[in-house]
Amino acid sequence: MSEIKERAEAAGVVVASGFFRIAFYVCIVVLLFWIGKSAYHFGYEVFNQQAVSPGEGHEVTVVINEDASLYNISKTLEKKGLVKDALVFFVQERLSNYHGKLQPGTYLLSTAYTPNRIMGILAGDKEQEGASAS
């Protein structure tokens, strides 16, 4: 009788370990899928360059301090409703021709501007129209 009990316990351990192994693999697959989806979405947002409100938009005054870091500028633009995501704008600036060229000042920006245009205005690019900096 004890031999049957030992075999039943061994079979139970095998079934339980198999179940947990399968559950572990499913969790890994779901995690990889989620990471891939998140990475794709983030990359799409970085390279998509869409204005917050296409069309007319509304104008917002933004003050950039002398000691403001790029991340602080990004957070300010997000709070003012000029960009959708501060981290996305941060990466866009790092990949753009305007990297390291954003200047302090007071700017009049519109929610209809693309992130690239906003960067151009903040960098003092004269080709970007509609900017007033002081």
Side-chain angles (χ1 to χ4, degrees):
M1 189 77 144
S2 112
E3 186 178 319
I4 295 174
K5 187 176 179 183
E6 287 176 12
R7 283 187 174 183
E9 287 175 358
V13 168
V14 169
V15 170
S17 68
F19 173 76
F20 285 118
R21 183 174 294 163
I22 290 170
F24 176 73
Y25 291 142
V26 167
C27 289
I28 294 296
V29 168
V30 169
L31 178 66
L32 289 174
F33 179 76
W34 179 80
I35 289 171
K37 181 180 170 189
S38 298
Y40 173 81
H41 179 70
F42 184 76
Y44 180 81
E45 290 296 320
V46 167
F47 295 105
N48 193 23
Q49 292 280 333
Q50 291 291 320
V52 171
S53 56
E56 281 296 312
H58 65 279
E59 293 184 333
V60 178
T61 302
V62 177
V63 177
I64 305 297
N65 296 326
E66 185 76 33
D67 60 345
S69 68
L70 174 58
Y71 189 71
N72 289 339
I73 294 170
S74 301
K75 290 300 280 182
T76 300
L77 295 174
E78 182 183 35
K79 287 177 187 172
K80 297 279 187 167
L82 293 165
V83 296
K84 294 177 185 175
D85 187 345
L87 184 59
V88 169
F89 184 82
F90 178 87
V91 173
Q92 287 171 332
E93 192 276 344
R94 302 280 297 186
L95 297 174
S96 76
N97 293 331
Y98 300 112
H99 175 59
K101 298 179 182 176
L102 304 186
Q103 302 170 357
T106 302
Y107 300 91
L108 186 61
L109 303 172
S110 173
T111 57
Y113 294 169
T114 62
N116 197 52
R117 186 168 180 189
I118 292 172
M119 284 182 262
I121 292 168
L122 295 178
D125 187 352
K126 298 300 179 194
E127 292 182 13
Q128 301 293 344
E129 55 186 280
S132 68
S134 55

